[in-house]
Amino acid sequence: MKASDLMVAALEAEGVEYVFAVPGEENLDLLESLRTSAITLVLARHEQGAGFMAATYGRLTGKAGVCLATLGPGATNLTTPAAYAALGAFPLVIITGQKPIKTSKQAQFQIVDVVSLFTPLCKASTQIVNGNRIPSLVREGFRLAQEERPGAVLLELPEDIAEEETIEPVIPPHYRRYAVAGDAALDEAAERIIAAERPLLLIGAGANRRRASKALRKFVSDTGFPFFDTQMGKGVVDEDSELYLGTAALSSGDYVHCAIEKADLIVNIGHDVVEKPPFFMEPGGQTVIHINYKAAEVDQVYFPQLEVIGDIAGSVERLGNRLDGKLQCDRSYYTALHHEIASHISETSDDERFPMVPQRVVADVRSVMARDDIVALDNGIYKIWFARNYIAHEPGTILLDNALATMGAGLPSAMMAAMLSPGRRVLAVCGDGGFMMNSQELETAVRLGLNLVVLVLNDAAYGMIRWKQDQLGFPDYGLTFSNPDFVTYAQSYGATGHRVERSADLVAVLNDAFEAGGVHLVDLPVDYSENKKVLIDELGAKVCEL
């Protein structure tokens, strides 16, 4: 068969359902092979849109998403999705084209050393130089992308290699299990936890994969372990619990850090230093037990004293057996703090001011979303508000990027969630700045017939940086802009546009949009004056009753 046919057969053997693509002429053999395959081609309007959708497929399913671009400028547009997958630990396979490598027909036109460019961003970056190598390189690429710690892999398929004849068979994938932590490490962890006066559990992004959520929910229920989570760990354990102490949206100074300061031992499950630190370790401070698939990457603010390495679900189950009925810690302070945090979060959640304050936005969004509905956030100051105030009940129901934290990913991520979960409400929450970075994907969403609502928080500025600028005492300069008429803009793509003009209307507008089906954009003016009032002034004045 032709090498491009073999490439597609290898993808089919890996269980690939979709290829998200902006093809070029160097991909035409592969595109023709895809045309007659069982794989669905999803044509995007920008390579970033294709890459973010594929990475989110990997994030939500655990199977590598696949995106396709041509050489040169097409490939370079995938560097941000590659970094998104690398830092976020989302399995992603990137396929790019290239000019013929056996003979030159256009000198160096459009040629960039793509393999070298992607090497720092990927677990493997390889040019396919012979069609017979395709089965092994595809199998190895998917293995690397999907195994812990997941990430991106690049395969470059030159056009002359794609049209070669080959007789190699595909290599089918095989199931593998992760090793479990050793008894000695688990015994020591249990001893330290039982001996602690106020142990505290932290749930990070690494626990938001595979079987870990089920095991952790049982662990918390059986032991009564007080817990908090990182932004990317939200929903692994139901946050509607007396044991939940909040999400570490900030690295220090928030109410949850009162609990961290009170704790004498922190059991850190699934966190690594790529995600923004939920707390800072200091010499002579709390003991930290690191439980993860891989060893800790030691950092100046993270140097655990004990590591329990292996499959997280298996480690948690075996640790829970050792703690059965033996966790007799003092929970009184944590219980009081839980109610104090809940009280602070509820403040101004019914504020009538317009433009709307973030607390009211989060509360209203929470009220229209069921337990398993999905909110996908772009990146901006509102992400901190959603991390602190939005109660997540199930894993994968609030998609935050707290690793690369790139703008422009919110809409494509929500589109992927809508494709995978057509029976659930899916809401993209984007700032006006981040939305406009990939707003052209509205056309893709409409073309795919998705049911999706996009909430655009409109402050006509790069609000997060403007907040930081004010925090540092600098003059307000260089961070404001004008926006299009978002209602008309949505309609130009075939979507339905809405504009909220009173705080009291948001819930009804969102519910009506979801009930109508199709793609909807809601333009919502927001007032970010609460950023300084709450996140700087109030938190700066708070006192932990220790």
Side-chain angles (χ1 to χ4, degrees):
M1 65 174 68
K2 194 166 64 172
S4 61
D5 293 333
L6 179 59
M7 185 83 167
V8 170
L11 296 178
E12 289 177 321
E14 296 291 341
V16 173
E17 300 176 272
Y18 306 101
V19 170
F20 303 91
V22 180
E25 66 177 278
E26 289 74 25
N27 307 122
L28 288 177
D29 282 291
L30 188 59
L31 193 66
E32 173 59 18
S33 298
L34 283 168
R35 184 182 66 83
T36 56
S37 75
I39 297 172
T40 299
L41 179 77
V42 178
L43 185 69
R45 300 305 302 269
H46 192 283
E47 290 85 359
Q48 273 198 15
F52 289 139
M53 290 185 76
T56 304
Y57 177 93
R59 178 181 191 173
L60 292 174
T61 67
K63 301 187 299 181
V66 180
C67 58
L68 171 70
T70 189
L71 82 173
T76 58
N77 278 340
L78 286 176
T79 53
T80 301
Y84 177 72
L87 271 67
F90 310 142
L92 174 68
V93 172
I94 300 166
I95 300 172
T96 56
Q98 189 53 276
K99 296 293 184 186
I101 57 174
K102 296 179 180 179
T103 58
S104 172
K105 64 178 184 181
Q106 289 183 316
Q108 295 299 306
F109 175 65
Q110 285 195 311
I111 293 180
V112 174
D113 185 351
V114 172
V115 172
S116 295
L117 176 67
F118 278 80
T119 295
L121 300 174
C122 293
K123 298 178 77 174
S125 182
T126 307
Q127 183 183 73
I128 301 173
V129 298
N130 187 297
N132 292 334
R133 293 291 314 282
I134 287 173
S136 60
L137 290 175
V138 170
R139 175 79 282 272
E140 183 67 1
F142 275 79
R143 181 188 70 81
L144 286 171
Q146 291 169 173
E147 76 174 9
E148 291 293 337
R149 187 178 179 269
V153 167
L154 177 120
L155 297 173
E156 182 182 76
L157 181 63
E159 61 178 308
D160 55 346
I161 304 302
E163 64 187 17
E164 281 185 352
E165 295 294 318
T166 179
I167 59 172
E168 287 295 308
V170 300
I171 301 174
H174 60 278
Y175 180 74
R176 62 165 291 182
R177 291 186 67 90
Y178 287 88
V180 296
D183 288 335
L186 287 164
D187 289 343
E188 184 177 350
E191 289 171 7
R192 292 196 181 205
I193 292 169
I194 291 168
E197 293 183 21
R198 284 177 297 274
L200 188 59
L201 182 67
L202 169 61
I203 301 169
N208 217 342
R209 302 196 281 272
R210 296 188 175 88
R211 301 179 298 118
S213 177
K214 181 179 178 181
L216 267 165
R217 288 178 177 229
K218 185 176 188 304
F219 179 80
V220 170
S221 175
D222 289 351
T223 62
F225 221 125
F227 73 95
F228 70 109
D229 48 33
T230 69
Q231 294 185 41
M232 295 175 73
K234 286 182 71 67
V236 173
V237 176
D238 191 347
E239 294 174 350
D240 186 16
S241 165
E242 289 280 324
L243 297 168
Y244 172 63
L245 294 168
T247 298
L250 306 173
S251 296
S252 63
D254 208 342
Y255 290 97
V256 69
H257 294 98
C258 295
I260 295 168
E261 292 167 19
K262 189 73 168 178
D264 56 349
L265 182 144
I266 297 174
V267 180
N268 194 353
I269 300 182
H271 176 65
D272 63 49
V273 296
V274 169
E275 189 172 5
K276 187 176 182 180
F279 66 94
F280 299 120
M281 288 187 68
E282 296 178 355
Q286 304 98 327
T287 297
V288 173
I289 300 175
H290 173 92
I291 301 179
N292 214 326
Y293 297 100
K294 299 188 72 174
E297 183 179 341
V298 174
D299 186 87
Q300 287 181 321
V301 299
Y302 189 61
F303 42 89
Q305 290 89 348
L306 176 64
E307 299 191 41
V308 179
I309 306 304
D311 176 70
I312 286 180
S315 297
V316 168
E317 289 167 1
R318 297 175 73 195
L319 182 60
N321 292 336
R322 285 165 167 78
L323 297 177
D324 188 19
K326 299 177 182 177
L327 191 64
Q328 303 297 326
C329 59
D330 179 7
R331 299 182 181 85
S332 58
Y333 178 76
Y334 294 146
T335 301
L337 185 61
H338 165 84
H339 293 291
E340 183 181 354
I341 291 172
S343 174
H344 282 289
I345 285 176
S346 66
E347 290 176 358
T348 64
S349 61
D350 56 357
D351 195 303
E352 292 291 338
R353 276 178 287 173
F354 192 83
M356 289 183 72
V357 297
Q359 301 96 312
R360 174 71 184 268
V361 174
V362 177
D364 284 1
V365 167
R366 179 66 277 181
S367 73
V368 303
M369 306 299 279
R371 290 178 62 91
D372 64 345
D373 290 338
I374 300 171
V375 174
L377 298 178
D378 205 273
N379 274 277
I381 189 64
Y382 52 88
K383 188 179 73 171
I384 293 177
W385 290 104
F386 270 87
R388 295 175 84 244
N389 293 29
Y390 190 89
I391 298 299
H393 301 290
E394 300 292 338
T397 57
I398 179 162
L399 304 179
L400 299 107
D401 169 20
N402 193 36
L404 183 66
T406 179
M407 297 170 72
L411 173 58
S413 294
M415 290 164 57
M416 188 69 256
M419 288 180 66
L420 290 171
S421 303
R424 294 151 73 179
R425 288 185 171 186
V426 178
L427 177 71
V429 180
C430 307
D432 44 9
F435 171 71
M436 289 303 293
M437 290 185 178
N438 275 308
S439 62
Q440 72 283 342
E441 299 304 339
L442 277 178
E443 187 278 328
T444 309
V446 171
R447 175 166 30 93
L448 294 174
L450 299 181
N451 293 317
L452 173 67
V453 177
V454 184
L455 179 63
V456 178
L457 306 180
N458 189 343
D459 69 330
Y462 292 118
M464 170 73 88
I465 312 307
R466 198 180 188 194
W467 172 58
K468 292 286 187 180
Q469 187 180 56
D470 179 59
Q471 188 178 349
L472 293 172
F474 294 133
D476 186 4
Y477 172 73
L479 295 170
T480 59
F481 46 72
S482 298
N483 282 316
D485 180 329
F486 283 123
V487 172
T488 305
Y489 186 72
Q491 292 169 347
S492 72
Y493 284 112
T496 303
H498 311 262
R499 181 171 293 108
V500 176
E501 296 180 338
R502 298 186 311 151
S503 294
D505 293 342
L506 177 59
V507 168
V509 169
L510 291 176
N511 274 323
D512 289 347
F514 280 121
E515 290 298 323
V519 180
H520 294 255
L521 183 151
V522 178
D523 178 5
L524 176 65
V526 290
D527 173 9
Y528 282 135
S529 62
E530 289 286 293
N531 295 343
K532 183 176 186 301
K533 175 179 175 289
V534 175
L535 300 179
I536 297 176
D537 297 341
E538 287 186 7
L539 290 184
K542 83 174 192 326
V543 176
C544 296
E545 298 296 336
L546 296 179

